[in-house]
Amino acid sequence: MKLDNIEVGGRKFKTLNGEIKCPVYMLRMIMINMPKHLVPFSRSEKGPNIKLMYETDTKKPIREYLMENGADKQWIKNFLLSVDGIIALCGEYLINPDYIVLSVESIFYSVDTGEILYIFNPFESNDFNLCCRKILVDIAGNYFLDHAVSGEIFRERFLREVGNKKFNLRNILADWETLTYCEKSDVVKSDFITPKKQIKATELFKDFINKINKKEDQNATMAITNTSGCMCLTGICSINTKIPIKEEGVTVGRTMLQKEYGLYNSGIGKTHARVYKQDGNIFATDLGSRNGTYLNGEQLDKRVPVKMERGDILAFSDEEFILC
């Protein structure tokens, strides 16, 4: 990915050019529901190429920030929590986390708010988990020699965790006290109890309980699906509206949406459309509505079933939903 610096009207931007490769619904969700952790961008279209401009007025690239300030243990923990939050946001806004750029060149530190901000890059997909490991090695390793993390023991254990084949952000956060506790070994000295034995003694019971209660390993890049066990129609403008597509199907209408989801739209008919399962597939049928039913922008013929795929946008009048 190539980032170019430009200045427009006294404001600083980073620009990208290329063709959008990510699903269109992901870009629309970003444009409509821009999470505060993602760097805001403006969009202009010219032919097949689309230019995105990322604002950088009050933001500093992570690499530049680290070279000036370094990264202590608390900063790394905040970064881990921030990335963990991004994973949660990806699930909430139906974003594939592989399109979130994770590198010391393309993550920004907001000077005003102290937040860590990320670029959503619709031009290319990366391995989110692998990128996360690489940036953690850069931050906690020897890359920033003048401002390296204090505490050689902490750094050694932290990098060992990052290099683990079962690397998982949540596992590191769960074991954070164990990682930071070893700093006391710089002070505690004994001929009878070595620091390592002391750590083992104090953490043994906690580790044992954690192993009993630990759930199955979770992927660092959570799947972009709902957790209800069935397909859902998720509102684009009202993401809290999730209409499950059960085995018996669902008839979507104005009264039903208002009564069950608190969503009122006078353009939707009382019995506007039917969405149902058949032979493992999802179909949508317009029930003769006045304002029409649209699949990915194309109006459906009345009372003619049309097959849907995950990620399709279904609109009842002007109320849009994503099948997920």
Side-chain angles (χ1 to χ4, degrees):
M1 180 182 65
K2 183 180 179 182
L3 289 171
D4 295 322
N5 296 301
I6 64 171
E7 190 167 327
V8 180
R11 300 172 65 190
K12 296 179 180 179
F13 291 88
K14 287 188 177 294
T15 62
L16 280 172
N17 289 281
E19 296 182 359
I20 288 183
K21 296 182 180 179
C22 73
V24 175
Y25 76 87
M26 283 172 51
L27 188 63
R28 295 192 64 182
M29 292 293 279
I30 286 289
M31 298 295 290
I32 295 173
N33 302 298
M34 176 63 70
K36 65 179 182 178
H37 293 83
L38 298 182
V39 178
F41 60 83
S42 58
R43 172 185 174 194
S44 62
E45 298 186 17
K46 291 184 179 179
N49 293 326
I50 296 180
K51 179 171 69 175
L52 300 182
M53 302 197 306
Y54 299 93
E55 298 178 291
T56 61
D57 295 272
T58 59
K59 305 169 185 68
K60 182 174 294 187
I62 289 293
R63 179 181 293 276
E64 182 180 333
Y65 172 84
L66 291 172
M67 293 301 289
E68 293 178 359
N69 302 283
D72 57 19
K73 294 189 295 293
Q74 186 58 44
W75 194 94
I76 292 182
K77 183 178 182 180
N78 291 341
F79 179 82
L80 292 172
L81 291 170
S82 180
V83 175
D84 192 45
I86 278 290
I87 295 175
L89 280 172
C90 286
E92 182 179 354
Y93 291 101
L94 303 178
I95 304 167
N96 183 340
D98 282 353
Y99 285 92
I100 304 297
V101 176
L102 276 180
S103 71
V104 289
E105 296 88 354
S106 305
I107 299 178
F108 294 90
Y109 183 81
S110 177
V111 179
D112 290 344
T113 62
E115 292 180 333
I116 299 169
L117 306 173
Y118 304 82
I119 285 181
F120 171 79
N121 176 17
F123 301 135
E124 61 183 65
S125 175
N126 298 290
D127 185 328
F128 186 92
N129 198 43
L130 182 63
C131 291
C132 186
R133 294 175 68 172
K134 184 178 184 303
I135 191 174
L136 289 175
V137 170
D138 280 348
I139 291 174
N142 294 317
Y143 193 91
F144 304 100
L145 295 176
D146 295 334
H147 301 281
V149 179
S150 61
E152 291 300 322
I153 298 177
F154 166 80
R155 185 179 357 193
E156 180 184 343
R157 295 191 64 182
F158 180 79
L159 290 174
R160 192 184 308 142
E161 288 294 321
V162 173
N164 194 314
K165 290 183 178 180
K166 295 183 178 180
F167 165 78
N168 185 293
L169 281 174
R170 293 184 177 92
N171 289 345
I172 293 181
L173 286 169
D175 295 336
W176 189 258
E177 290 183 12
T178 304
L179 288 172
T180 56
Y181 179 83
C182 61
E183 284 297 293
K184 293 183 179 180
S185 63
D186 294 335
V187 179
V188 178
K189 292 185 182 294
S190 170
D191 294 330
F192 304 100
I193 303 177
T194 65
K196 287 185 178 180
K197 289 182 178 178
Q198 188 180 41
I199 293 168
K200 185 175 180 180
T202 55
E203 296 298 331
L204 182 60
F205 184 73
K206 183 193 294 184
D207 289 344
F208 177 72
I209 295 299
N210 285 341
K211 288 179 180 178
I212 293 177
N213 295 330
K214 188 172 289 184
K215 298 178 180 179
E216 294 182 2
D217 289 342
Q218 302 177 2
N219 291 329
T221 52
M222 61 192 296
I224 308 304
T225 59
N226 63 76
T227 56
S228 61
C230 66
M231 301 281 276
C232 288
L233 286 172
T234 300
I236 289 181
C237 294
S238 54
I239 60 172
N240 291 326
T241 303
K242 289 183 175 16
I243 305 174
I245 312 301
K246 300 178 181 178
E247 290 297 328
E248 63 272 20
V250 59
T251 299
V252 179
R254 180 172 64 246
T255 303
M256 169 270 228
L257 289 174
Q258 183 176 10
K259 182 178 179 180
E260 297 184 23
Y261 301 98
L263 183 64
Y264 179 78
N265 188 322
S266 59
I268 299 177
K270 289 184 179 180
T271 53
H272 194 102
R274 179 81 177 162
V275 183
Y276 60 95
K277 290 183 179 181
Q278 183 176 320
D279 299 327
N281 297 311
I282 303 293
F283 291 86
T285 304
D286 182 272
L287 298 178
S289 65
R290 182 176 61 182
N291 294 320
T293 302
Y294 299 81
L295 180 61
N296 296 325
E298 297 291 332
Q299 185 170 1
L300 302 185
D301 294 331
K302 298 186 187 303
R303 306 191 186 283
V304 177
V306 176
K307 182 181 175 182
M308 295 184 64
E309 302 289 345
R310 185 186 298 275
D312 282 347
I313 297 178
L314 187 66
F316 312 111
S317 183
D318 60 352
E319 197 72 49
E320 295 182 314
F321 293 82
I322 290 175
L323 182 65
C324 61

